[in-house]
Amino acid sequence: GQQLNQSPQSMFIQEGEDVSMNCTSSSIFNTWLWYKQEPGEGPVLLIALYKAGELTSNGRLTAQFGITRKDSFLNISASIPSDVGIYFCAGRQADKLIFGTGTRLQVFP
Amino acid sequence: NAGVTQTPKFRVLKTGQSMTLLCAQDMNHEYMYWYRQDPGMGLRLIHYSVGEGTTAKGEVPDGYNVSRLKKQNFLLGLESAAPSQTSVYFCASSYIIDEQYFGPGTRLTVT
């Protein structure tokens, strides 16, 4: 089945650093989403993108919808310990979402 | 308002046994989904429902069945469990497809 490729697979950073991660697909999507999963819980929606080239922020998080519609990017500025978790991208395909493989983020004080 | 709840939280099965996972939501959502999460594989859609009485296959439906007899409940069945079905199972529901609300997960081990 189709899956979205995320990189990097994992990141170990120090508190205060900025973080960048991306998601790529061989198919075009008209909607890109970013979810975060904290340890022991289900994913929660962070940001939704609906237009190619769109740049959307949610606090310290900024996501971009790639102009080719085959990729998306997520940046986290000035990371804090509570940013720890797995970040998933997802593309909408008809009446369902296709999720990426995830980027695991660890933040050290 | 409990959101999405899943029963049970943990389960250990022997190969060949059957079980049913229950998902319940109190948000009056039309859409409900069952995913499995495996290390390095992200979330993969097993089955989903776009409304009461409807079901559809997702990416990895083999070995699973589902039913949506009531709008608020979505059941996932394993008729004959296999070790390859060891995973964490998440249920989700949504009003619009993009914003899915996930349950806390069920950790299933098949020995």
Side-chain angles (χ1 to χ4, degrees), chain A residues 45-65:
Chain A
L45 180 64
L46 296 173
I47 292 178
L49 302 155
Y50 297 105
K51 190 175 175 182
E54 178 182 357
L55 194 70
T56 296
S57 293
N58 179 3
R60 293 177 296 105
L61 277 61
T62 301
Q64 184 164 24
F65 191 144

PDB file of all heavy atoms in Angstrom, chain A residues 45-65:
ATOM      1  N   LEU A  45      -4.221  16.310  15.756  1.00  0.00           N
ATOM      2  CA  LEU A  45      -3.974  17.184  14.617  1.00  0.00           C
ATOM      3  C   LEU A  45      -3.300  18.481  15.060  1.00  0.00           C
ATOM      4  O   LEU A  45      -3.753  19.137  16.000  1.00  0.00           O
ATOM      5  CB  LEU A  45      -5.288  17.511  13.901  1.00  0.00           C
ATOM      6  CG  LEU A  45      -5.170  18.436  12.682  1.00  0.00           C
ATOM      7  CD1 LEU A  45      -4.355  17.771  11.574  1.00  0.00           C
ATOM      8  CD2 LEU A  45      -6.551  18.829  12.173  1.00  0.00           C
ATOM      9  N   LEU A  46      -2.205  18.867  14.347  1.00  0.00           N
ATOM     10  CA  LEU A  46      -1.509  20.115  14.625  1.00  0.00           C
ATOM     11  C   LEU A  46      -1.859  21.191  13.596  1.00  0.00           C
ATOM     12  O   LEU A  46      -2.169  22.323  13.939  1.00  0.00           O
ATOM     13  CB  LEU A  46       0.011  19.889  14.581  1.00  0.00           C
ATOM     14  CG  LEU A  46       0.612  18.940  15.622  1.00  0.00           C
ATOM     15  CD1 LEU A  46       2.083  18.716  15.309  1.00  0.00           C
ATOM     16  CD2 LEU A  46       0.430  19.497  17.024  1.00  0.00           C
ATOM     17  N   ILE A  47      -1.700  20.827  12.327  1.00  0.00           N
ATOM     18  CA  ILE A  47      -1.846  21.806  11.247  1.00  0.00           C
ATOM     19  C   ILE A  47      -2.452  21.121  10.023  1.00  0.00           C
ATOM     20  O   ILE A  47      -2.108  19.984   9.723  1.00  0.00           O
ATOM     21  CB  ILE A  47      -0.473  22.414  10.864  1.00  0.00           C
ATOM     22  CG1 ILE A  47       0.072  23.280  11.995  1.00  0.00           C
ATOM     23  CG2 ILE A  47      -0.572  23.239   9.587  1.00  0.00           C
ATOM     24  CD1 ILE A  47       1.449  23.887  11.710  1.00  0.00           C
ATOM     25  N   ALA A  48      -3.323  21.852   9.329  1.00  0.00           N
ATOM     26  CA  ALA A  48      -3.896  21.366   8.070  1.00  0.00           C
ATOM     27  C   ALA A  48      -3.558  22.361   6.960  1.00  0.00           C
ATOM     28  O   ALA A  48      -3.597  23.580   7.174  1.00  0.00           O
ATOM     29  CB  ALA A  48      -5.410  21.233   8.201  1.00  0.00           C
ATOM     30  N   LEU A  49      -3.194  21.843   5.778  1.00  0.00           N
ATOM     31  CA  LEU A  49      -2.802  22.667   4.630  1.00  0.00           C
ATOM     32  C   LEU A  49      -3.664  22.272   3.438  1.00  0.00           C
ATOM     33  O   LEU A  49      -3.787  21.090   3.123  1.00  0.00           O
ATOM     34  CB  LEU A  49      -1.329  22.434   4.294  1.00  0.00           C
ATOM     35  CG  LEU A  49      -0.335  22.727   5.414  1.00  0.00           C
ATOM     36  CD1 LEU A  49       0.937  21.921   5.228  1.00  0.00           C
ATOM     37  CD2 LEU A  49      -0.017  24.214   5.441  1.00  0.00           C
ATOM     38  N   TYR A  50      -4.206  23.281   2.732  1.00  0.00           N
ATOM     39  CA  TYR A  50      -5.170  22.988   1.679  1.00  0.00           C
ATOM     40  C   TYR A  50      -4.793  23.525   0.300  1.00  0.00           C
ATOM     41  O   TYR A  50      -5.516  23.288  -0.674  1.00  0.00           O
ATOM     42  CB  TYR A  50      -6.545  23.532   2.072  1.00  0.00           C
ATOM     43  CG  TYR A  50      -7.098  22.869   3.310  1.00  0.00           C
ATOM     44  CD1 TYR A  50      -7.099  23.534   4.531  1.00  0.00           C
ATOM     45  CD2 TYR A  50      -7.595  21.570   3.272  1.00  0.00           C
ATOM     46  CE1 TYR A  50      -7.603  22.917   5.682  1.00  0.00           C
ATOM     47  CE2 TYR A  50      -8.103  20.950   4.398  1.00  0.00           C
ATOM     48  CZ  TYR A  50      -8.099  21.632   5.601  1.00  0.00           C
ATOM     49  OH  TYR A  50      -8.594  21.022   6.728  1.00  0.00           O
ATOM     50  N   LYS A  51      -3.694  24.254   0.220  1.00  0.00           N
ATOM     51  CA  LYS A  51      -3.371  24.887  -1.060  1.00  0.00           C
ATOM     52  C   LYS A  51      -1.875  24.793  -1.316  1.00  0.00           C
ATOM     53  O   LYS A  51      -1.066  25.078  -0.418  1.00  0.00           O
ATOM     54  CB  LYS A  51      -3.795  26.354  -0.996  1.00  0.00           C
ATOM     55  CG  LYS A  51      -3.766  27.100  -2.295  1.00  0.00           C
ATOM     56  CD  LYS A  51      -4.337  28.499  -2.088  1.00  0.00           C
ATOM     57  CE  LYS A  51      -4.208  29.318  -3.355  1.00  0.00           C
ATOM     58  NZ  LYS A  51      -4.708  30.692  -3.166  1.00  0.00           N
ATOM     59  N   ALA A  52      -1.489  24.411  -2.535  1.00  0.00           N
ATOM     60  CA  ALA A  52      -0.079  24.305  -2.890  1.00  0.00           C
ATOM     61  C   ALA A  52       0.630  25.623  -2.627  1.00  0.00           C
ATOM     62  O   ALA A  52       0.133  26.691  -3.002  1.00  0.00           O
ATOM     63  CB  ALA A  52       0.069  23.905  -4.355  1.00  0.00           C
ATOM     64  N   GLY A  53       1.790  25.539  -1.949  1.00  0.00           N
ATOM     65  CA  GLY A  53       2.554  26.728  -1.615  1.00  0.00           C
ATOM     66  C   GLY A  53       2.148  27.361  -0.295  1.00  0.00           C
ATOM     67  O   GLY A  53       2.848  28.229   0.223  1.00  0.00           O
ATOM     68  N   GLU A  54       1.046  26.907   0.279  1.00  0.00           N
ATOM     69  CA  GLU A  54       0.533  27.506   1.518  1.00  0.00           C
ATOM     70  C   GLU A  54       1.514  27.320   2.673  1.00  0.00           C
ATOM     71  O   GLU A  54       2.107  26.261   2.827  1.00  0.00           O
ATOM     72  CB  GLU A  54      -0.808  26.855   1.860  1.00  0.00           C
ATOM     73  CG  GLU A  54      -1.462  27.338   3.145  1.00  0.00           C
ATOM     74  CD  GLU A  54      -2.769  26.592   3.429  1.00  0.00           C
ATOM     75  OE1 GLU A  54      -3.180  25.752   2.596  1.00  0.00           O
ATOM     76  OE2 GLU A  54      -3.361  26.852   4.477  1.00  0.00           O
ATOM     77  N   LEU A  55       1.651  28.367   3.482  1.00  0.00           N
ATOM     78  CA  LEU A  55       2.486  28.336   4.681  1.00  0.00           C
ATOM     79  C   LEU A  55       1.572  28.659   5.855  1.00  0.00           C
ATOM     80  O   LEU A  55       0.918  29.705   5.858  1.00  0.00           O
ATOM     81  CB  LEU A  55       3.592  29.386   4.557  1.00  0.00           C
ATOM     82  CG  LEU A  55       4.769  29.319   5.521  1.00  0.00           C
ATOM     83  CD1 LEU A  55       5.641  28.114   5.219  1.00  0.00           C
ATOM     84  CD2 LEU A  55       5.600  30.594   5.392  1.00  0.00           C
ATOM     85  N   THR A  56       1.488  27.763   6.838  1.00  0.00           N
ATOM     86  CA  THR A  56       0.566  27.955   7.956  1.00  0.00           C
ATOM     87  C   THR A  56       1.290  27.749   9.269  1.00  0.00           C
ATOM     88  O   THR A  56       2.096  26.823   9.400  1.00  0.00           O
ATOM     89  CB  THR A  56      -0.603  26.958   7.853  1.00  0.00           C
ATOM     90  OG1 THR A  56      -1.351  27.227   6.677  1.00  0.00           O
ATOM     91  CG2 THR A  56      -1.537  27.070   9.049  1.00  0.00           C
ATOM     92  N   SER A  57       0.999  28.614  10.241  1.00  0.00           N
ATOM     93  CA  SER A  57       1.638  28.522  11.553  1.00  0.00           C
ATOM     94  C   SER A  57       0.631  28.203  12.641  1.00  0.00           C
ATOM     95  O   SER A  57      -0.543  28.557  12.552  1.00  0.00           O
ATOM     96  CB  SER A  57       2.346  29.837  11.890  1.00  0.00           C
ATOM     97  OG  SER A  57       3.439  30.037  11.029  1.00  0.00           O
ATOM     98  N   ASN A  58       1.128  27.531  13.674  1.00  0.00           N
ATOM     99  CA  ASN A  58       0.352  27.235  14.874  1.00  0.00           C
ATOM    100  C   ASN A  58       1.322  27.374  16.040  1.00  0.00           C
ATOM    101  O   ASN A  58       2.025  26.439  16.407  1.00  0.00           O
ATOM    102  CB  ASN A  58      -0.218  25.820  14.795  1.00  0.00           C
ATOM    103  CG  ASN A  58      -1.009  25.452  16.040  1.00  0.00           C
ATOM    104  OD1 ASN A  58      -1.176  26.263  16.944  1.00  0.00           O
ATOM    105  ND2 ASN A  58      -1.504  24.226  16.087  1.00  0.00           N
ATOM    106  N   GLY A  59       1.411  28.591  16.587  1.00  0.00           N
ATOM    107  CA  GLY A  59       2.391  28.848  17.649  1.00  0.00           C
ATOM    108  C   GLY A  59       3.800  28.759  17.112  1.00  0.00           C
ATOM    109  O   GLY A  59       4.154  29.434  16.141  1.00  0.00           O
ATOM    110  N   ARG A  60       4.619  27.887  17.729  1.00  0.00           N
ATOM    111  CA  ARG A  60       6.013  27.733  17.277  1.00  0.00           C
ATOM    112  C   ARG A  60       6.134  26.781  16.077  1.00  0.00           C
ATOM    113  O   ARG A  60       7.232  26.542  15.588  1.00  0.00           O
ATOM    114  CB  ARG A  60       6.853  27.209  18.437  1.00  0.00           C
ATOM    115  CG  ARG A  60       7.000  28.190  19.595  1.00  0.00           C
ATOM    116  CD  ARG A  60       7.798  27.591  20.757  1.00  0.00           C
ATOM    117  NE  ARG A  60       7.090  26.448  21.333  1.00  0.00           N
ATOM    118  CZ  ARG A  60       7.439  25.185  21.133  1.00  0.00           C
ATOM    119  NH1 ARG A  60       8.485  24.880  20.375  1.00  0.00           N
ATOM    120  NH2 ARG A  60       6.741  24.216  21.686  1.00  0.00           N
ATOM    121  N   LEU A  61       5.034  26.245  15.620  1.00  0.00           N
ATOM    122  CA  LEU A  61       5.054  25.306  14.496  1.00  0.00           C
ATOM    123  C   LEU A  61       4.669  26.021  13.204  1.00  0.00           C
ATOM    124  O   LEU A  61       3.728  26.810  13.183  1.00  0.00           O
ATOM    125  CB  LEU A  61       4.057  24.169  14.730  1.00  0.00           C
ATOM    126  CG  LEU A  61       4.479  22.989  15.594  1.00  0.00           C
ATOM    127  CD1 LEU A  61       4.814  23.408  17.008  1.00  0.00           C
ATOM    128  CD2 LEU A  61       3.408  21.925  15.590  1.00  0.00           C
ATOM    129  N   THR A  62       5.417  25.712  12.146  1.00  0.00           N
ATOM    130  CA  THR A  62       5.102  26.238  10.823  1.00  0.00           C
ATOM    131  C   THR A  62       5.175  25.092   9.829  1.00  0.00           C
ATOM    132  O   THR A  62       6.155  24.341   9.825  1.00  0.00           O
ATOM    133  CB  THR A  62       6.089  27.333  10.401  1.00  0.00           C
ATOM    134  OG1 THR A  62       6.058  28.396  11.352  1.00  0.00           O
ATOM    135  CG2 THR A  62       5.721  27.882   9.025  1.00  0.00           C
ATOM    136  N   ALA A  63       4.147  24.959   9.007  1.00  0.00           N
ATOM    137  CA  ALA A  63       4.137  23.888   8.003  1.00  0.00           C
ATOM    138  C   ALA A  63       3.915  24.485   6.623  1.00  0.00           C
ATOM    139  O   ALA A  63       3.270  25.532   6.481  1.00  0.00           O
ATOM    140  CB  ALA A  63       3.043  22.874   8.322  1.00  0.00           C
ATOM    141  N   GLN A  64       4.464  23.812   5.618  1.00  0.00           N
ATOM    142  CA  GLN A  64       4.311  24.277   4.244  1.00  0.00           C
ATOM    143  C   GLN A  64       3.830  23.151   3.344  1.00  0.00           C
ATOM    144  O   GLN A  64       4.261  22.000   3.482  1.00  0.00           O
ATOM    145  CB  GLN A  64       5.629  24.837   3.702  1.00  0.00           C
ATOM    146  CG  GLN A  64       5.492  25.413   2.301  1.00  0.00           C
ATOM    147  CD  GLN A  64       6.633  26.299   1.893  1.00  0.00           C
ATOM    148  OE1 GLN A  64       7.742  26.192   2.417  1.00  0.00           O
ATOM    149  NE2 GLN A  64       6.379  27.208   0.973  1.00  0.00           N
ATOM    150  N   PHE A  65       2.944  23.483   2.432  1.00  0.00           N
ATOM    151  CA  PHE A  65       2.420  22.582   1.410  1.00  0.00           C
ATOM    152  C   PHE A  65       3.309  22.779   0.191  1.00  0.00           C
ATOM    153  O   PHE A  65       3.325  23.862  -0.397  1.00  0.00           O
ATOM    154  CB  PHE A  65       0.977  23.012   1.116  1.00  0.00           C
ATOM    155  CG  PHE A  65       0.164  22.070   0.279  1.00  0.00           C
ATOM    156  CD1 PHE A  65      -1.180  21.917   0.555  1.00  0.00           C
ATOM    157  CD2 PHE A  65       0.694  21.382  -0.799  1.00  0.00           C
ATOM    158  CE1 PHE A  65      -1.987  21.082  -0.225  1.00  0.00           C
ATOM    159  CE2 PHE A  65      -0.084  20.548  -1.574  1.00  0.00           C
ATOM    160  CZ  PHE A  65      -1.428  20.412  -1.291  1.00  0.00           C
TER     161      PHE A  65
END
